[in-house]
Amino acid sequence: MSSLLAALGILAGGYLLTYLVFDRLRRKFGYVGGAEYVLLGAFLGPAGSGLLDPAAVRDLAPVASVALGWLGVLLGTRMRLRDWVDRPAEHLGVAMAEAGTTWVVAGGASWLLLHHLLGWTGTQAVLPSLTLAAIAVAGAPQAIEALASRSAGTHPLWPLVRTVSLVDAVFGVVAFGVATAALHLGTVQTGVRPPTATEWVAINVAVGLASGVLFHLFLGPAARGLEHQVEQADAGDARLFISLAGAIIIAAGAAYWLDLSPLFTTFLLGAVLGNSAQAHQRLEQLLARTAQPVYLVLLIFAGAAWSRAAGPIWFWFAFVAIRLLARLIGGRVGGTATADQALHSPWLGRALLTQGGLGAAIALDYAQNPGAPGSALVLAAALLSVLLFDWVGARETVVILGGRLSGEQRVVEPPALPEEGR
């Protein structure tokens, strides 16, 4: 108990210190990441000060699952079909080409390294490679949107980049969830036929969608009550928060118990709520207000789960290089795949380097799966990627697309479009 209290005290002091330090970076360089919380978690964890020992990290795993579920719902609510129909089809085509190419390149390169350089069997290297590919694809749509509003960019392709960043996030979560379900690592009760890969995927989808439908039915009366509580917004939000927390705990707990991905399961829950809940606007506002502290908890926990003995260090840096290469190749393929010359953007990958907390969330989700091969190695590589790309990604986005970093007076000219695309 004393260690836990000490950890909480250092957490509070460390949070203030890191916030003050990194707030200067935000103002000067446009930094929008969460690397400071990863570093703080690593300091508190077994690999740092040891205030949180391995047993404590394991005991807090359910808290991490709830945080993963909260982020999954937050992303899922942005899958509102009415909003996606309004997006230009050309933007979606560019986004899918970019995300698919990035995923293939990152997954293939990761598998080659694990199989040929680390000596893993081809089968053993499949799931870690697919997880690393999902981490490489996952971006930071919140950071991109913050940069778009903060930098006051004038480049005409800001809307395209914002769509691509959101598709990247969705693609990464869905690809990871399907992979972990299809290559299920858990066990079933003795005497019961193990489900096939297709059946596991169907089970995972069913759990997520059923959770969304059940919560929608429960939220119906609550939503009608919220409509009559405009003057008592705080009371309505409190009811909505409690209801949402209960739904996330149930859905994430069911996924955790079945050795499936809480992040993907709650993403499906959020997608159902975003398209059907009567209080979807209040729900999205609530999720937006609570996203930042949830990110804080998740990144601190991911840092605390890091281990110094997580495989060879060169592989961590190799994955950073793989993500950079995959992102640049994917951006060039997606940015040149469209026939619309106004969307011609071979530099697209450079504008999407920011990693954000979603990559750490996928890695932590994978690390919590019992028996996941190379879970510590995947988590370490993902955290290093988050640390490095969050340093350079935001500034690179602004430089490529034009705009002004907070605290700067100079406006960066956007790169010129090709003559045929003007």
Side-chain angles (χ1 to χ4, degrees):
M1 179 64 68
S2 60
S3 297
L4 180 58
L5 292 177
L8 292 176
I10 293 180
L11 176 62
Y15 169 70
L16 294 176
L17 177 63
T18 53
Y19 182 82
L20 292 175
V21 172
F22 281 81
D23 187 54
R24 294 179 177 270
L25 297 176
R26 289 184 180 93
R27 292 195 301 267
K28 187 173 182 180
F29 299 107
Y31 170 77
V32 292
E36 64 270 35
Y37 305 127
V38 175
L39 295 175
L40 179 59
F43 171 75
L44 293 174
S49 64
L51 289 174
L52 293 177
D53 56 25
V57 174
R58 287 193 299 270
D59 292 341
L60 291 174
V63 178
S65 295
V66 174
L68 289 171
W70 206 273
L71 296 184
V73 171
L74 175 63
L75 181 61
T77 53
R78 303 189 65 179
M79 294 300 295
R80 190 164 176 78
L81 295 179
R82 187 177 302 172
D83 298 335
W84 284 89
V85 169
D86 295 335
R87 296 177 185 268
E90 294 81 3
H91 288 196
L92 297 177
V94 170
M96 291 303 299
E98 184 275 335
T101 303
T102 303
W103 182 77
V104 170
V105 173
S110 299
W111 185 89
L112 290 175
L113 287 183
L114 292 173
H115 180 53
H116 293 289
L117 295 184
L118 293 186
W120 294 17
T121 66
T123 303
Q124 186 184 23
V126 171
L127 185 55
S129 299
L130 294 177
T131 302
L132 289 170
I135 294 170
V137 172
Q142 293 91 347
I144 295 295
E145 292 178 358
L147 288 171
S149 58
R150 176 188 304 175
S151 64
T154 58
H155 199 285
L157 292 185
W158 264 114
L160 172 65
V161 173
R162 297 171 77 172
T163 297
V164 174
S165 66
L166 181 56
V167 170
D168 282 343
V170 173
F171 192 103
V173 170
V174 172
F176 170 71
V178 172
T180 53
L183 303 175
H184 189 263
L185 298 174
T187 58
V188 297
Q189 186 177 357
T190 304
V192 177
R193 178 184 67 82
T196 64
T198 303
E199 290 171 343
W200 273 121
V201 174
I203 290 172
N204 200 355
V205 173
V207 171
L209 296 181
S211 300
V213 172
L214 291 176
F215 182 66
H216 165 66
L217 296 176
F218 172 78
L219 187 62
R224 287 190 291 271
L226 289 174
E227 293 173 357
H228 299 290
Q229 292 182 353
V230 178
E231 296 82 4
Q232 301 176 353
D234 292 339
D237 285 348
R239 292 176 55 190
L240 187 60
F241 179 86
I242 295 173
S243 302
L244 180 61
I248 291 175
I249 291 172
I250 293 174
Y256 187 79
W257 180 66
L258 292 171
D259 296 318
L260 298 171
S261 167
L263 186 64
F264 176 60
T265 303
T266 53
F267 165 77
L268 297 173
L269 164 65
V272 173
L273 296 181
N275 285 278
S276 63
Q278 298 181 45
H280 69 86
Q281 291 183 346
R282 295 285 293 275
L283 184 66
E284 292 173 1
Q285 293 171 0
L286 175 63
L287 288 168
R289 288 199 303 270
T290 56
Q292 198 63 28
V294 171
Y295 265 117
L296 183 152
V297 171
L298 182 68
L299 292 175
I300 290 177
F301 190 88
W306 170 71
S307 172
R308 295 178 181 176
I313 296 179
W314 65 261
F315 184 87
W316 308 355
F317 289 92
F319 173 69
V320 173
I322 287 173
R323 184 179 187 267
L324 175 61
L325 179 64
R327 184 63 86 189
L328 294 179
I329 294 176
R332 177 165 289 274
V333 171
T336 58
T338 176
D340 188 351
Q341 290 300 314
L343 300 179
H344 188 78
S345 50
W347 42 261
L348 183 61
R350 291 180 58 191
L352 299 167
L353 293 180
T354 303
Q355 182 94 59
L358 188 57
I362 294 175
L364 184 60
D365 195 336
Y366 179 76
Q368 287 189 322
N369 197 326
S375 58
L377 180 64
V378 170
L379 179 62
L383 293 182
L384 180 62
S385 178
V386 170
L387 291 173
L388 296 181
F389 282 112
D390 276 359
W391 281 104
V392 301
R395 189 174 185 88
E396 191 71 6
T397 301
V398 175
V399 169
I400 288 295
L401 293 175
R404 180 176 60 84
L405 294 173
S406 180
E408 289 185 350
Q409 299 300 323
R410 180 175 59 88
V411 176
V412 181
E413 291 296 330
L417 294 173
E419 291 296 331
E420 64 271 18
R422 292 183 183 271

